Amino acid sequence: MDPNPKSFPILSYVMSRIASFKAPQAVDHHDVEQPPPLDRPIRRHDGVGGGDIDLVVERLPRLQHPALLASMASAVTEVAQTRSVLRLLGDRPDHEAVDAARARVAEIDADLSRGLEEIVRAPRPEGVDRLRWRAEQAEREKGCRAEAEREKAALRAVIQLDEMHEAYEKLLREAENRLVKMYGSAAEGGDVGDGKLGAEMGQEEGEEVNEEVIDILQGGPGMSLERVDLSGRHLRYLPEAFGKLRGLLYLNLSNNQLQAVPDAIAGLEYLEELHLSSSSLVSLPDSIGLLLNLKILDVSANKLKSLPDSISKCRSLVELNASYNELTYLPTNIGHELQSLEKLWIHLNKLRSLPTSVCEMRALRLLDAHFNELRGLPYAIGNLSNLEVLNLSSNFSDLQELPASFGDLINLRELDLSNNQIHALPDTFGRLDKLTKLNLDQNPLVVPPLEVIMQGVEAVKDYMAKRLLDILLEDEKSMAEEMSPTQAGNGWLMRSTSWLNSWVSGVSGSVAGYLGSGQKSFRDPYLDQQL
């Protein structure tokens, strides 16, 4: 809840000085919005350790100037007030709780709509006056709405608390930017309320890099630049002026030391490729959602804990690589918006679940989610009918089963489920006709048995197809036994059995082929490979 000193160094320092002064043990006659006198020791709390403060002061020595501190303290009073409110309300709810609350609110609204429609369409009983009937309908409608509102109240509280914390994060970013400008102005000898970034906030090494950036910014607009590659330049700061290179199509800032990307990047309205991998980023700007022509985005190998919800607005995205980060969730609506996305890399994160909207990514051909903490897949995962490559390996003890719709992934060619705790493949697995590579290593599988797995992918598919047939036949047999003798004697069971045999034949050859003449099935060499 307190500003992170690594992400908001100046704000964290100023907040610690305010908190140090406002502590009950330090009550005196100073103005509460003024920083404590320089001879008063700073209490190391509020999320800012002594080492962090020392580093901030060492890097930005002018922060100790009383007048500058006083101005900065006045500039962040809103942050301090908001923090106090949030401390009373509680920590930010995890994204799964928020996602579940939003989904439940939508369900309640849908149920309410159906209920109201039933009330309106209900026929008026005979002998009941029309006006009285309308009054009764209105009363029932009122009761339905009240019940729905009561149930939604607690859910909305969760959603609103999350939105308040999100607004607080934005407030922190704005406050830090404001303080950076104030410090820069003071460092240049100007007014503390305005100005540009000072020398202390610039890069400390690699002056030739600064010159290269300046040359690009000065000549870019006139030269109509389309490609800029600044990868591996040790950049720590990207000027806002980059947003003026409106003709840019390709921007590579990989392998730098950037902790943030300026909001002005939204000005690159024609940008198609943005590479930000291995750049120490802790967040992405909300303005990234304004890059409507962006096709490829690589933010892998950073320190991102979340992706902004606005990323869903990048509707032209074809490839998104967010692997090697610290993501614990994906934006709730990411799948509803990114309808053109074909490749999604989210491996090596801390994801515990995928939002149900992922199932709407109908164009998706590759999904790599290995080395996460996934506890399952959305039930409608089978909607991804164009998916060809799926890697769910190494989710370890968290991933224990797959949904029944898994068999609807009719174009799946490569599947890696190794290093999980899956006991049984879904009964529909035999419908994966195009599957040619399968890795099931390090799973306590019982269905199919190990001897079938060792025969390769075709044997696995045939086994699961026969198993599904047996289940369906057993179900129909049970149904037939419950029917009258006349119905059973009309050949209903025989026709159904014939249909089922035809269906299995169309999926994976024939049952007879599986039972076969004793020949061994093809052994899949992929099963012998190790990751």
Side-chain angles (χ1 to χ4, degrees):
M1 198 172 296
D2 295 308
N4 186 325
K6 291 183 174 59
S7 304
F8 310 103
I10 301 181
L11 180 59
S12 297
Y13 175 79
V14 174
M15 295 285 284
S16 70
R17 294 300 297 267
I18 294 175
S20 175
F21 176 74
K22 290 183 177 180
Q25 300 90 334
V27 175
D28 55 28
H29 300 291
H30 291 282
D31 186 340
V32 293
E33 293 301 340
Q34 295 296 320
L38 293 180
D39 58 353
R40 174 178 295 167
I42 299 175
R43 293 176 177 83
R44 313 297 193 185
H45 60 245
D46 286 331
V48 186
D52 293 316
I53 287 184
D54 293 339
L55 287 174
V56 172
V57 173
E58 181 181 347
R59 182 183 175 194
L60 309 170
R62 292 178 184 268
L63 284 178
Q64 299 185 81
H65 192 283
L68 179 59
L69 263 178
S71 297
M72 287 183 168
S74 298
V76 298
T77 53
E78 186 180 0
V79 175
Q81 292 168 358
T82 304
R83 181 180 63 176
S84 299
V85 172
L86 289 178
R87 279 178 171 170
L88 293 175
L89 294 176
D91 294 332
R92 184 172 189 174
D94 64 68
H95 197 269
E96 288 180 335
V98 177
D99 194 7
R102 285 175 173 157
R104 181 57 189 147
V105 167
E107 289 177 5
I108 294 172
D109 288 336
D111 292 342
L112 176 62
S113 179
R114 287 192 292 268
L116 295 178
E117 185 176 355
E118 290 176 0
I119 292 174
V120 171
R121 292 187 175 184
R124 178 166 56 91
E126 293 183 9
V128 177
D129 180 71
R130 185 182 300 274
L131 293 178
R132 179 183 171 187
W133 176 241
R134 287 181 179 176
E136 290 180 3
Q137 285 182 312
E139 194 64 27
R140 290 174 59 194
E141 179 180 337
K142 181 179 178 181
C144 286
R145 292 185 184 278
E147 179 63 27
E149 287 302 317
R150 278 195 296 270
E151 190 174 353
K152 288 193 293 184
L155 300 171
R156 281 175 174 164
V158 174
I159 297 171
Q160 289 171 357
L161 181 57
D162 179 71
E163 291 174 347
M164 289 182 67
H165 277 276
E166 181 66 29
Y168 179 61
E169 289 287 336
K170 183 178 180 180
L171 189 63
L172 293 181
R173 290 192 292 270
E174 292 174 349
E176 180 70 15
N177 290 335
R178 189 159 57 247
L179 296 182
V180 165
K181 291 180 179 179
M182 292 174 68
Y183 187 89
S185 179
E188 292 181 349
D191 296 334
V192 296
D194 194 10
K196 298 181 180 180
L197 198 64
E200 290 88 344
M201 293 300 293
Q203 295 180 355
E204 297 177 358
E205 58 183 359
E207 290 300 321
E208 72 282 356
V209 175
N210 284 332
E211 293 177 4
E212 184 177 2
V213 172
I214 291 172
D215 288 343
I216 290 173
L217 294 177
Q218 289 180 341
M223 294 186 296
S224 299
L225 278 179
E226 293 187 353
R227 296 177 62 88
V228 169
D229 189 343
L230 289 172
S231 58
R233 303 298 206 283
H234 305 289
L235 293 177
R236 297 172 57 189
Y237 168 69
L238 191 67
E240 295 274 343
F242 250 89
K244 297 180 180 179
L245 303 177
R246 300 190 181 279
L248 211 58
L249 301 178
Y250 172 96
L251 177 59
N252 191 344
L253 297 170
S254 301
N255 296 295
N256 281 295
Q257 299 172 20
L258 300 171
Q259 288 194 355
V261 176
D263 285 322
I265 197 170
L268 307 179
E269 54 186 313
Y270 299 109
L271 193 66
E272 296 181 357
E273 290 190 37
L274 178 57
H275 299 269
L276 296 168
S277 63
S278 304
S279 294
S280 301
L281 292 173
V282 296
S283 66
L284 295 176
D286 290 332
S287 61
I288 199 168
L290 296 175
L291 300 178
L292 302 182
N293 289 297
L294 194 63
K295 292 182 172 61
I296 297 176
L297 175 60
D298 185 355
V299 293
S300 61
N302 284 293
K303 301 176 182 178
L304 301 174
K305 296 185 183 298
S306 65
L307 298 176
D309 290 339
S310 61
I311 202 170
S312 301
K313 302 299 181 183
C314 300
R315 296 187 178 92
S316 297
L317 268 183
V318 176
E319 298 182 10
L320 172 58
N321 190 343
S323 60
Y324 292 90
N325 277 288
E326 300 172 16
L327 301 177
T328 57
Y329 64 89
L330 296 179
T332 303
N333 295 320
I334 189 170
H336 295 312
E337 305 283 352
L338 301 185
Q339 294 290 299
S340 299
L341 196 67
E342 296 182 6
K343 297 181 180 180
L344 176 60
W345 293 275
I346 48 175
H347 53 282
L348 284 146
N349 279 290
K350 300 178 181 178
L351 297 171
R352 290 179 291 177
S353 65
L354 299 179
T356 55
S357 66
V358 165
C359 303
E360 302 302 318
M361 294 178 171
R362 308 293 177 134
L364 200 64
R365 294 190 294 110
L366 179 149
L367 174 57
D368 191 344
H370 78 272
F371 264 108
N372 276 287
E373 300 170 12
L374 293 177
R375 290 180 277 185
L377 298 176
Y379 181 80
I381 194 70
N383 290 347
L384 303 180
S385 56
N386 287 310
L387 195 64
E388 297 177 1
V389 179
L390 177 59
N391 190 343
L392 297 171
S393 64
S394 301
N395 280 278
F396 302 105
S397 61
D398 297 291
L399 187 57
Q400 300 181 14
E401 61 181 357
L402 301 173
S405 68
F406 201 84
D408 295 331
L409 301 175
I410 56 176
N411 282 302
L412 197 63
R413 300 178 184 276
E414 300 181 19
L415 174 61
D416 193 341
L417 295 172
S418 60
N419 292 296
N420 290 303
Q421 287 295 307
I422 300 173
H423 291 78
L425 296 180
D427 294 327
T428 56
F429 196 87
R431 287 146 71 173
L432 303 179
D433 269 2
K434 295 185 179 180
L435 190 65
T436 57
K437 289 186 178 181
L438 175 64
N439 191 345
L440 297 172
D441 292 344
Q442 303 302 315
N443 277 285
L445 276 166
V446 178
V447 179
L450 181 60
E451 56 268 24
V452 173
I453 295 174
M454 295 303 294
Q455 295 178 41
V457 61
E458 294 301 326
V460 170
K461 290 193 295 182
D462 286 344
Y463 177 92
M464 297 305 297
K466 180 180 182 298
R467 175 182 168 81
L468 179 59
L469 174 62
D470 291 341
I471 292 172
L472 293 174
L473 288 175
E474 185 63 30
D475 288 345
E476 294 206 5
K477 182 179 179 181
S478 299
M479 292 173 61
E481 290 175 351
E482 295 175 1
M483 299 177 68
S484 66
T486 304
Q487 289 174 310
N490 287 333
W492 175 82
L493 180 59
M494 186 177 298
R495 290 195 301 274
S496 182
T497 302
S498 175
W499 174 83
L500 285 170
N501 274 300
S502 300
W503 177 81
V504 173
S505 298
V507 173
S508 55
S510 65
V511 176
Y514 173 75
L515 298 175
S517 58
Q519 295 181 351
K520 292 186 177 180
S521 300
F522 170 71
R523 179 182 178 86
D524 181 16
Y526 187 74
L527 289 170
D528 298 324
Q529 297 179 8
Q530 298 294 325
L531 289 179

